[in-house]
Amino acid sequence: MTTIIPFGPQHPVLPEPVSLKLEIDNDVVVGVLPSLGYVHRGLEKFIDTKDYNQTLYICERICGICSALHGVTYARAVEKLFDVEVPERAQYLRVIWGELNRIHSHLLWLGLFADGFGFESLFYECWKYRESVLDIMEMTVGNRVIHSMAKVGGTSKDLSKEHIDLILKTLDTLEPKIKDIEKVFVNNYTVKKRLVGLATMSKQLAYEAGTAGPTLRGSGNAIDVRETEDWDIYRDLDFKPVVEKDGDCYARTKVRIGELYESIKLVRNAISKLPNGEIAVPIKGSPTGEAIMRCEMPRGEVVYYVKGKGTKNLERLKIRTPTFANIPSLLLTLPGAKLADVPIIVLTIDPCISCTER
Amino acid sequence: MLENEVEIKSSAELLKTVEGLKNDGYRYATMICLKANEGHDLIYIFEKDYKLKNLRYYLKPGEKPKSVSGIYLCALLIENEYQDLFGLTFEGLAIDYKGHLYLTPNSPKTPLA
C-alpha cells in the first residue's frame, strides 16, 4: 500500500517554496508529482508596461543568484534585434562579472548542499568564502545581489585598476580555500556514502530528459553554451566544459566544484586580456523582429526569446530557465530512491524556484 | 522569422516531425507561445550540436494543440504553463495540471491570452 507524503513547499533544505507530492511504498519513492505556483510573479506579462531598457532591470530581478547573467542574456538578445556588436571591452567585462556570479552561485549551492547532508561547519565555510565574491560585486558595481552592470549596447559600469587588483587578490585567497572544502566534498567517507551511486542518470537519459547545466554535464554530456558561436569570446579565454561521467549526485557535485576553478581561470584570463576602449555603443530606434539568445547560467542553459514590434515595448519576452528544464528529471530520478535521500537528490539539480516561476 | 525555422502545417505533421527530431538526436529546449492573428504561434525549439532548429505551428482559434510530452516528457511543464497563461488545452499531456500549474482557482484567468 502506498502513502502520499508532501515534500515542501516549506522544507529545511529548500530555500524557496516548491512542493513534491511523493508516493511512498515502504520508505521508497514510487511516484512523484511536482507542484509549482507558490511564488509566480508574472514577469513576462509585467514587461508589457516597460520599455526594452526597463525590461532589463526586470530580467535582472528574475533571480538574485544569477542576476548578472540574466541581464547580460537579455541585453544580448535585444542587441541581436538591433544587429549591433558591443565593444570588446564590454564583452570581457560581462564575462568577468558573469563568472564571478557563477562562483558565488556555486559556493552558495555547496553550502546549502553541505547543510542538506548535515555538515553545518562546511555550510558556514562555503558561505563565508562566497561573501568575498559578494564583496567584489559591492566594490565594483555597488550592489551585492542585483548588479545592474549590463545594458543594451554594452555595460553601464567599468573596472578600474584598483578593482582589478581587488578581484585578483580575492581570487588568489579564494582558490586555496576552495581546495580545502573540495577535499571534504570529494574525499570524505560519509559524503561519498551519501552521494555515490545516488539518483544516477545515464548520458542518454539526461540528454533526452532535456536537462541543463551541471545536471547534464554530470552525466557525461559535454554541452555548455559558452562553447557556442554566440559566445566566441570564451574561445579566447581557454574555456573547457567541466564534465563528469557517472551521472550521480556525486558527479553533479564534482562538476560544480570543477566549475569554480574554471570560472576563476576565466576571470583571470579575461582580466589579463581586457582591452582598452569604450564600454557601450549607443542604441537608437525601437526593436523589431524575433531573436533567441542562450547563455550558460550557473544552473544551466537559459533561453531568451524576444520579439519586437517597432515600438519601445517588446511584444513578447519568453524565458526558459535552467531549473525549469531540470525539474522534469526528478520524475525519472526520484522513483526508486529512499525517502531519506529525496532532499539530497532534489538539491543536486540546484533548484531555483524564483527563476522557474519568473 | 527565426533562423533555421520550419513551418508546420498540421498537428499530425508536428508530431511526426518532433518524433523524427528525437530519432535524429535533437534535445528539446523549450516552446514559445505568442498571439498571432486570431490564434497563436507555437514555436518549438530543439538543439543538437549547439545548433537550434525551430518549428513554427500556427494554432487556429479554438484549436486544441497536441502535446509532445509523449515524445519528450520534459515538454510537460511548458505545455502546462501555456494552459495556465494562454488558456490552451493540450491533448495527450503526460501530466495535466488542468490550468493550475501556477494559478489557483482565485488567480486571474489566462493572463497572457
Side-chain angles (χ1 to χ4, degrees):
Chain A
M1 186 179 159
T2 61
T3 310
I4 303 292
I5 295 184
F7 177 85
Q10 302 299 326
H11 189 280
V13 303
L14 293 173
E16 298 174 281
V18 63
S19 167
L20 299 171
K21 290 191 179 93
L22 301 172
E23 190 180 355
I24 304 292
D25 184 6
N26 199 19
D27 223 24
V28 173
V29 179
V30 294
V32 56
L33 180 68
S35 286
L36 302 170
Y38 297 97
V39 288
H40 192 263
R41 290 165 291 165
L43 296 182
E44 291 173 10
K45 173 71 176 169
F46 186 50
I47 64 120
D48 283 355
T49 58
K50 307 293 172 194
D51 72 35
Y52 71 86
N53 283 311
Q54 293 168 327
T55 297
L56 188 140
Y57 301 112
I58 308 293
C59 292
E60 285 183 324
R61 282 155 180 78
I62 287 170
C63 176
I65 311 303
C66 41
S67 158
L69 287 167
H70 270 293
V72 167
T73 314
Y74 170 77
R76 295 217 52 189
V78 177
E79 286 154 8
K80 242 185 180 180
L81 293 181
F82 282 108
D83 195 22
V84 293
E85 184 78 11
V86 303
E88 208 177 8
R89 183 175 179 86
Q91 293 179 38
Y92 276 81
L93 290 172
R94 287 173 173 185
V95 167
I96 292 167
W97 278 309
E99 293 306 321
L100 287 169
N101 218 170
R102 193 180 318 277
I103 293 168
H104 88 66
S105 176
H106 282 353
L107 284 170
L108 176 135
W109 178 80
L110 284 165
L112 290 173
F113 195 48
D115 187 44
F117 53 65
F119 278 43
E120 293 299 322
S121 60
L122 189 58
F123 159 65
Y124 294 136
E125 290 290 302
C126 294
W127 279 39
K128 184 171 77 183
Y129 303 145
R130 175 178 178 252
E131 281 297 303
S132 64
V133 184
L134 295 181
D135 288 344
I136 292 176
M137 292 301 196
E138 188 174 7
M139 294 291 284
T140 57
V141 301
N143 290 308
R144 296 165 72 79
V145 178
I146 305 294
H147 308 305
S148 290
M149 60 78 183
K151 62 185 271 188
V152 179
T155 59
S156 56
K157 310 265 172 50
D158 202 350
L159 287 177
S160 66
K161 171 79 173 59
E162 291 72 31
H163 289 152
I164 286 171
D165 290 344
L166 169 74
I167 294 171
L168 292 174
K169 194 177 161 195
T170 305
L171 293 182
D172 287 346
T173 310
L174 182 61
E175 194 170 19
K177 302 289 186 192
I178 293 172
K179 287 199 167 95
D180 284 345
I181 57 173
E182 179 188 8
K183 287 177 198 160
V184 186
F185 280 105
V186 173
N187 299 328
N188 182 277
Y189 173 83
T190 310
V191 177
K192 285 175 83 171
K193 198 82 179 158
R194 290 294 307 271
L195 305 183
V196 173
L198 183 63
T200 302
M201 266 193 296
S202 68
K203 183 177 180 180
Q204 178 84 358
L205 188 64
Y207 185 84
E208 288 184 357
T211 60
T215 308
L216 179 64
R217 291 191 288 280
S219 290
N221 294 286
I223 298 174
D224 191 309
V225 177
R226 287 173 286 181
E227 286 199 307
T228 62
E229 57 191 23
D230 280 331
W231 299 93
D232 270 350
I233 189 170
Y234 277 96
R235 287 187 198 154
D236 299 336
L237 302 176
D238 189 29
F239 168 67
K240 299 220 170 24
V242 178
V243 181
E244 292 286 335
K245 287 186 296 186
D246 292 341
D248 54 7
C249 291
Y250 186 62
R252 295 189 274 279
T253 307
K254 286 206 290 183
V255 167
R256 292 189 178 93
I257 292 170
E259 288 188 349
L260 286 170
Y261 297 119
E262 191 65 22
S263 291
I264 289 173
K265 181 186 84 180
L266 290 168
V267 173
R268 285 180 176 144
N269 288 353
I271 285 175
S272 72
K273 294 183 174 184
L274 184 64
N276 293 319
E278 298 296 317
I279 57 168
V281 290
I283 305 285
K284 288 179 182 166
S286 299
T288 55
E290 298 172 283
I292 293 173
M293 178 54 70
R294 294 181 291 157
C295 176
E296 193 66 34
M297 312 292 264
R299 292 166 186 77
E301 172 194 46
V302 69
V303 181
Y304 268 69
Y305 167 87
V306 288
K307 183 175 184 188
K309 55 180 177 183
T311 64
K312 290 288 180 193
N313 304 60
L314 291 174
E315 183 180 336
R316 177 83 167 106
L317 167 70
K318 169 69 197 157
I319 305 148
R320 198 300 313 271
T321 61
T323 298
F324 197 90
N326 285 328
I327 283 177
S329 71
L330 295 175
L331 299 174
L332 306 169
T333 54
L334 285 176
K338 288 182 181 167
L339 179 60
D341 287 329
V342 170
I344 296 293
I345 297 169
V346 172
L347 278 174
T348 58
I349 68 163
D350 193 1
C352 178
I353 305 309
S354 175
C355 278
T356 304
E357 302 210 7
R358 294 147 283 137
Chain B
M1 179 132 177
L2 293 161
E3 280 175 40
N4 209 5
E5 181 178 303
V6 177
E7 194 179 340
I8 301 290
K9 300 285 189 192
S10 68
S11 56
E13 184 190 354
L14 174 73
L15 291 180
K16 193 177 166 194
T17 309
V18 171
E19 194 133 20
L21 289 174
K22 187 172 186 190
N23 293 336
D24 288 345
Y26 277 85
R27 202 160 64 96
Y28 183 90
T30 192
M31 176 178 53
I32 315 293
C33 179
L34 57 156
K35 287 186 274 186
N37 301 320
E38 297 300 306
H40 296 86
D41 266 346
L42 300 180
I43 308 170
Y44 295 80
I45 305 176
F46 300 87
E47 188 257 0
K48 183 184 176 186
D49 300 332
Y50 294 137
K51 299 285 183 201
L52 296 183
K53 189 168 188 86
N54 306 303
L55 310 180
R56 188 184 296 258
Y57 177 57
Y58 175 66
L59 194 68
K60 298 177 199 72
E63 182 183 349
K64 291 183 177 177
K66 303 278 187 220
S67 169
V68 302
S69 61
I71 304 168
Y72 288 98
L73 177 67
C74 52
L76 72 93
L77 274 189
I78 192 68
E79 291 179 348
N80 273 289
E81 177 171 315
Y82 293 147
Q83 294 203 141
D84 280 32
L85 303 184
F86 284 90
L88 305 181
T89 305
F90 283 84
E91 290 183 341
L93 254 168
I95 300 174
D96 192 346
Y97 291 81
K98 300 194 180 300
H100 297 298
L101 175 67
Y102 299 134
L103 303 179
T104 64
N106 298 325
S107 302
K109 307 291 178 211
T110 61
L112 286 180

